[in-house]
Amino acid sequence: MQTAIHRKTIQNSITLKGIGVHSGKVVTLRLHPAEANTGLIFYLYRGTQKVRIPVTLDHVVDTSNATTIGDGGSNRVQTIEHLLAAVHTLGITDCIFEIDSVEVPIMDGSSLPFWEGIRSAGIRVLDETVEPITITNPIWVVDGDKYLVMLPSDELKVTYSIDFNHPLLRGQSYTTTLDESILGTDILPARTFGFLKDVEALQARGLAMGGSLDNAVVLTDDGYLNDHLRYDNECVRHKILDLVGDLAVMGRPFRGHLIASKAGHALDISLAKCIMSQVTGNELTQYKSKRIPLFSKKEATR
């Protein structure tokens, strides 16, 4: 069992505004401090209605193109992974998110604005602690030629490979440890990416109306539409960002060696569910072994 670490929240409330990548409309996101053990909770404002949607695996309702949580009805908040990657990096376990749209603002397409915003708000260390997730055996999920594995490790690290049908994204791979410093400088600034032909098709359907070169890396048939990249391998770094943000839905710090090949939101969430299933089983077994029996075996045979 790894050493428990202190829970954290933000010191002051902050407001972030940006464009919704699909709606193209301005979204207001407010972050507020929360008491220990509150967890991460969205409050979606729809007119006069205020809908509570906790950030938990049970509330994930869609993983196509982005990770979406919902209340089991028609109320949803999508594209939460970029915000959660920043939240995880800074160790925030308890926070309230108030939002006036069904999508978290895309900002510049990365987690950097969220990371900078949370740091500017300050971080408050709480008295209560949380046990980091630790696994004792490899856990994996597979979907055809796509897979995602988590191996036991005392630190968080990743080996990620992508292989898109594009001359610049064939066989791209990246391996790194993922401590707070490396995440902040090498992963969180990596922007989301897409293919020009797909963007045009989405916009024809009324989607991706907020997408632009200001918030995405856009690939043409043989190159980039952008004038420059933040990293030579920015696309695979963004896939790591998404993975960290998706696994943050587990609601606890986690450690392990993640090995991914052509994964995405669906596999990320599937792995998170497998991890929590094993962790819960292990922790229940440890708790059970420490219980004091209510009666002896001798008494039970009478």
Side-chain angles (χ1 to χ4, degrees), residues 123-244:
I123 297 173
R124 177 159 57 95
V125 179
L126 303 169
D127 292 335
E128 290 79 357
T129 59
V130 58
E131 290 280 355
I133 289 174
T134 178
I135 61 169
T136 55
N137 298 294
I139 300 175
W140 64 88
V141 288
V142 179
D143 180 15
D145 64 344
K146 306 172 184 177
Y147 63 82
L148 183 54
V149 182
M150 189 172 191
L151 303 176
S153 176
D154 291 333
E155 61 181 350
L156 181 60
K157 54 186 176 180
V158 65
T159 300
Y160 207 117
S161 300
I162 58 176
D163 190 15
F164 289 91
N165 184 24
H166 189 279
L168 300 179
L169 298 183
R170 291 195 181 105
Q172 196 174 104
S173 183
Y174 189 56
T175 298
T176 182
T177 55
L178 293 174
D179 59 27
E180 180 179 334
S181 176
I182 290 174
L183 278 164
T185 59
D186 296 351
I187 301 300
L188 297 191
R191 296 164 296 174
T192 190
F193 65 95
F195 299 91
L196 183 59
K197 61 180 184 296
D198 295 336
V199 173
E200 293 171 340
L202 286 169
Q203 290 183 338
R205 294 163 46 203
L207 301 173
M209 303 309 291
S212 71
L213 295 179
D214 293 329
N215 54 41
V217 173
V218 180
L219 293 106
T220 61
D221 290 339
D222 57 1
Y224 295 102
L225 203 58
N226 307 68
D227 291 333
H228 68 278
L229 299 181
R230 293 180 176 176
Y231 312 95
D232 290 340
N233 57 353
E234 187 167 357
C235 295
V236 71
R237 291 181 191 233
H238 186 81
K239 295 291 286 185
I240 295 171
L241 182 161
D242 280 345
L243 174 57
V244 171

Side-chain angles (χ1 to χ4, degrees), residues 44 46 53 61-62 68-70 73-78 101-102:
L44 171 62
R46 310 194 75 170
I53 308 177
V61 295
D62 193 5
T68 302
I69 56 173
S74 60
N75 298 299
R76 297 184 169 197
V77 178
Q78 65 187 31
S101 173
V102 296

Side-chain angles (χ1 to χ4, degrees), residues 249-291:
V249 177
M250 294 187 294
R252 287 169 58 181
F254 50 90
R255 300 290 183 271
H257 185 181
L258 295 160
I259 302 175
S261 179
K262 296 186 282 188
H265 300 295
L267 275 184
D268 296 351
I269 296 300
S270 293
L271 180 69
K273 290 179 177 179
C274 290
I275 291 170
M276 290 309 298
S277 177
Q278 175 174 310
V279 168
T280 300
N282 288 346
E283 291 177 349
L284 285 175
T285 299
Q286 292 168 355
Y287 171 75
K288 182 178 179 181
S289 67
K290 295 177 182 178
R291 289 188 305 177

